[in-house]
Amino acid sequence: MAKEEIKKKKSEEETEEKAETIEKEETVKETESEKEAESEEAKEPTPEEKLTEELKKQKESYLRLAAEYENYRKRTQQEKLGIYDDATAKTVEQLLPMADALQMAMQNSEGAPQEFLKGLEMIQTQFKTSMEKLKVESFGEIGDEFDPNLHNAIAKVESDELGENQLSMIYQKGFKIGDKIIRHAMVQVANCD
Protein backbone atom coordinates (compact mmCIF):
# COMPACT_ATOMS: atom_id res chain seq x y z
CA MET A 1 0.00 0.00 0.00
CA ALA A 2 2.74 2.34 0.72
CA LYS A 3 4.02 1.80 -2.74
CA GLU A 4 0.61 2.52 -4.18
CA GLU A 5 0.29 5.70 -2.19
CA ILE A 6 3.74 6.80 -3.32
CA LYS A 7 2.74 6.06 -6.90
CA LYS A 8 -0.50 8.01 -6.40
CA LYS A 9 1.34 10.93 -4.91
CA LYS A 10 3.83 10.88 -7.77
CA SER A 11 1.05 10.76 -10.36
CA GLU A 12 -0.79 13.55 -8.54
CA GLU A 13 2.40 15.61 -8.45
CA GLU A 14 2.99 14.93 -12.13
CA THR A 15 -0.62 15.87 -12.89
CA GLU A 16 -0.23 19.06 -10.87
CA GLU A 17 3.05 19.89 -12.68
CA LYS A 18 1.37 19.26 -16.02
CA ALA A 19 -1.54 21.45 -15.00
CA GLU A 20 0.84 24.20 -13.88
CA THR A 21 2.80 23.94 -17.16
CA ILE A 22 -0.42 24.09 -19.19
CA GLU A 23 -1.59 27.05 -17.11
CA LYS A 24 1.73 28.85 -17.66
CA GLU A 25 1.56 28.18 -21.41
CA GLU A 26 -2.00 29.54 -21.52
CA THR A 27 -0.90 32.64 -19.59
CA VAL A 28 1.99 33.17 -22.02
CA LYS A 29 -0.39 32.70 -24.99
CA GLU A 30 -2.87 35.17 -23.49
CA THR A 31 -0.07 37.70 -22.90
CA GLU A 32 1.16 37.28 -26.48
CA SER A 33 -2.34 37.66 -27.90
CA GLU A 34 -2.85 40.79 -25.78
CA LYS A 35 0.42 42.22 -27.09
CA GLU A 36 -0.64 41.41 -30.67
CA ALA A 37 -3.98 43.08 -30.11
CA GLU A 38 -2.25 46.14 -28.66
CA SER A 39 0.19 46.30 -31.60
CA GLU A 40 -2.73 46.00 -34.04
CA GLU A 41 -4.45 48.84 -32.23
CA ALA A 42 -1.20 50.82 -32.35
CA LYS A 43 -0.95 50.21 -36.11
CA GLU A 44 -4.42 51.59 -36.72
CA PRO A 45 -4.18 55.40 -36.50
CA THR A 46 -6.53 57.36 -34.35
CA PRO A 47 -8.88 59.89 -35.96
CA GLU A 48 -6.62 62.71 -34.75
CA GLU A 49 -3.60 61.12 -36.41
CA LYS A 50 -5.61 60.67 -39.62
CA LEU A 51 -6.60 64.35 -39.60
CA THR A 52 -3.03 65.44 -38.85
CA GLU A 53 -1.74 63.36 -41.75
CA GLU A 54 -4.42 64.76 -44.09
CA LEU A 55 -3.58 68.31 -42.98
CA LYS A 56 0.10 67.65 -43.65
CA LYS A 57 -0.71 66.40 -47.18
CA GLN A 58 -2.93 69.41 -47.89
CA LYS A 59 -0.26 71.82 -46.63
CA GLU A 60 2.36 70.16 -48.85
CA SER A 61 0.01 70.38 -51.82
CA TYR A 62 -0.66 74.07 -51.09
CA LEU A 63 3.06 74.86 -50.89
CA ARG A 64 3.69 73.12 -54.22
CA LEU A 65 0.86 75.05 -55.84
CA ALA A 66 2.16 78.34 -54.43
CA ALA A 67 5.66 77.60 -55.78
CA GLU A 68 4.26 76.70 -59.21
CA TYR A 69 2.26 79.94 -59.29
CA GLU A 70 5.32 82.00 -58.35
CA ASN A 71 7.35 80.33 -61.12
CA TYR A 72 4.51 80.99 -63.60
CA ARG A 73 4.30 84.65 -62.56
CA LYS A 74 8.07 85.16 -62.98
CA ARG A 75 8.08 83.36 -66.33
CA THR A 76 5.21 85.45 -67.75
CA GLN A 77 6.82 88.65 -66.49
CA GLN A 78 10.07 87.66 -68.22
CA GLU A 79 8.14 86.86 -71.42
CA LYS A 80 6.44 90.27 -71.33
CA LEU A 81 9.81 92.00 -71.07
CA GLY A 82 11.10 89.85 -73.91
CA ILE A 83 8.11 90.79 -76.07
CA TYR A 84 8.73 94.48 -75.38
CA ASP A 85 12.41 94.14 -76.30
CA ASP A 86 11.53 92.24 -79.50
CA ALA A 87 8.98 94.87 -80.56
CA THR A 88 11.43 97.69 -79.83
CA ALA A 89 14.17 95.88 -81.76
CA LYS A 90 11.94 95.43 -84.82
CA THR A 91 10.94 99.10 -84.77
CA VAL A 92 14.51 100.33 -84.36
CA GLU A 93 15.65 97.98 -87.12
CA GLN A 94 13.27 99.77 -89.51
CA LEU A 95 14.65 103.19 -88.48
CA LEU A 96 18.34 102.28 -88.87
CA PRO A 97 18.56 102.93 -92.65
CA MET A 98 17.44 106.52 -91.99
CA ALA A 99 20.06 106.86 -89.24
CA ASP A 100 22.72 105.52 -91.65
CA ALA A 101 21.64 108.03 -94.31
CA LEU A 102 21.84 110.82 -91.74
CA GLN A 103 25.35 109.69 -90.73
CA MET A 104 26.46 109.66 -94.38
CA ALA A 105 25.00 113.13 -94.90
CA MET A 106 27.00 114.38 -91.90
CA GLN A 107 30.22 112.83 -93.21
CA ASN A 108 29.78 114.21 -96.74
CA SER A 109 28.60 117.72 -95.84
CA GLU A 110 31.78 119.60 -96.65
CA GLY A 111 31.00 122.99 -98.06
CA ALA A 112 27.35 122.87 -96.96
CA PRO A 113 25.77 125.98 -95.43
CA GLN A 114 26.12 126.28 -91.64
CA GLU A 115 22.32 126.20 -91.10
CA PHE A 116 22.12 122.89 -93.01
CA LEU A 117 24.85 121.33 -90.83
CA LYS A 118 23.18 122.61 -87.68
CA GLY A 119 19.89 121.01 -88.75
CA LEU A 120 21.60 117.65 -89.41
CA GLU A 121 23.30 117.78 -86.00
CA MET A 122 19.95 118.50 -84.29
CA ILE A 123 18.32 115.53 -86.04
CA GLN A 124 21.23 113.28 -85.08
CA THR A 125 21.03 114.46 -81.44
CA GLN A 126 17.28 113.75 -81.36
CA PHE A 127 17.87 110.27 -82.79
CA LYS A 128 20.50 109.48 -80.13
CA THR A 129 18.19 110.77 -77.37
CA SER A 130 15.33 108.60 -78.67
CA MET A 131 17.59 105.53 -78.74
CA GLU A 132 18.69 106.18 -75.14
CA LYS A 133 15.04 106.42 -74.00
CA LEU A 134 14.35 103.08 -75.68
CA LYS A 135 17.49 101.66 -73.96
CA VAL A 136 19.09 100.95 -77.34
CA GLU A 137 22.88 101.14 -77.29
CA SER A 138 25.19 101.61 -80.25
CA PHE A 139 28.55 99.85 -80.41
CA GLY A 140 31.55 99.61 -82.68
CA GLU A 141 34.26 102.24 -82.23
CA ILE A 142 37.71 102.37 -83.81
CA GLY A 143 40.19 100.70 -81.47
CA ASP A 144 37.65 98.33 -79.86
CA GLU A 145 38.54 94.65 -79.64
CA PHE A 146 36.96 92.54 -82.40
CA ASP A 147 34.14 90.32 -81.06
CA PRO A 148 32.48 88.00 -83.61
CA ASN A 149 29.30 88.05 -81.51
CA LEU A 150 28.97 91.82 -82.01
CA HIS A 151 30.91 92.64 -85.18
CA ASN A 152 30.65 91.54 -88.79
CA ALA A 153 34.17 91.74 -90.25
CA ILE A 154 34.04 92.55 -93.96
CA ALA A 155 37.69 93.53 -94.42
CA LYS A 156 41.09 93.22 -92.78
CA VAL A 157 44.15 95.42 -92.86
CA GLU A 158 47.69 95.45 -91.46
CA SER A 159 48.37 98.47 -89.23
CA ASP A 160 51.28 99.53 -87.05
CA GLU A 161 49.11 101.98 -85.12
CA LEU A 162 46.56 99.42 -83.89
CA GLY A 163 46.97 96.19 -81.96
CA GLU A 164 45.98 92.69 -82.98
CA ASN A 165 42.26 92.14 -83.69
CA GLN A 166 41.30 95.78 -83.15
CA LEU A 167 38.70 97.60 -85.20
CA SER A 168 40.35 99.92 -87.72
CA MET A 169 37.27 101.19 -89.58
CA ILE A 170 33.52 101.22 -88.92
CA TYR A 171 31.29 100.95 -92.00
CA GLN A 172 28.03 100.65 -90.02
CA LYS A 173 27.47 101.01 -86.29
CA GLY A 174 25.92 98.10 -84.45
CA PHE A 175 22.90 98.39 -82.16
CA LYS A 176 21.62 96.26 -79.30
CA ILE A 177 18.90 96.35 -76.66
CA GLY A 178 20.04 94.61 -73.49
CA ASP A 179 21.72 91.41 -74.69
CA LYS A 180 19.70 91.25 -77.91
CA ILE A 181 21.62 92.32 -81.00
CA ILE A 182 19.50 94.42 -83.36
CA ARG A 183 22.24 94.83 -85.96
CA HIS A 184 25.87 93.71 -85.98
CA ALA A 185 28.47 96.39 -86.64
CA MET A 186 30.14 96.13 -90.08
CA VAL A 187 33.84 96.65 -89.48
CA GLN A 188 37.38 96.36 -90.79
CA VAL A 189 39.76 94.47 -88.48
CA ALA A 190 43.45 95.26 -88.09
CA ASN A 191 46.25 92.70 -87.75
CA CYS A 192 44.11 89.55 -87.74
CA ASP A 193 45.03 86.09 -89.00
Side-chain angles (χ1 to χ4, degrees), residues 1-12:
M1 237 192 255
K3 282 186 179 180
E4 282 181 21
E5 282 182 26
I6 292 176
K7 281 185 182 179
K8 253 187 185 181
K9 274 189 177 182
K10 274 188 180 179
S11 79
E12 283 178 8

Side-chain angles (χ1 to χ4, degrees), residues 89 91-102 127 131 136 172-176 182-184:
T91 304
V92 169
E93 189 175 15
Q94 297 302 313
L95 296 174
L96 290 180
M98 288 187 291
D100 293 336
L102 180 61
F127 179 77
M131 292 296 118
V136 175
Q172 265 187 347
K173 283 218 174 251
F175 290 89
K176 66 180 181 174
I182 299 171
R183 180 176 78 184
H184 291 82

Side-chain angles (χ1 to χ4, degrees), residues 2 16 19 21 23 50 53 59 99 130 134 150 155 165 173:
E16 283 178 20
T21 305
E23 197 174 295
K50 287 180 182 177
E53 186 66 29
K59 185 177 180 181
S130 297
L134 293 171
L150 300 175
N165 286 331
K173 283 218 174 251

Side-chain angles (χ1 to χ4, degrees), residues 76-89 180:
T76 55
Q77 186 177 12
Q78 199 73 354
E79 287 172 358
K80 284 180 187 177
L81 290 174
I83 290 170
Y84 173 78
D85 287 349
D86 289 344
T88 303
K180 183 177 179 62

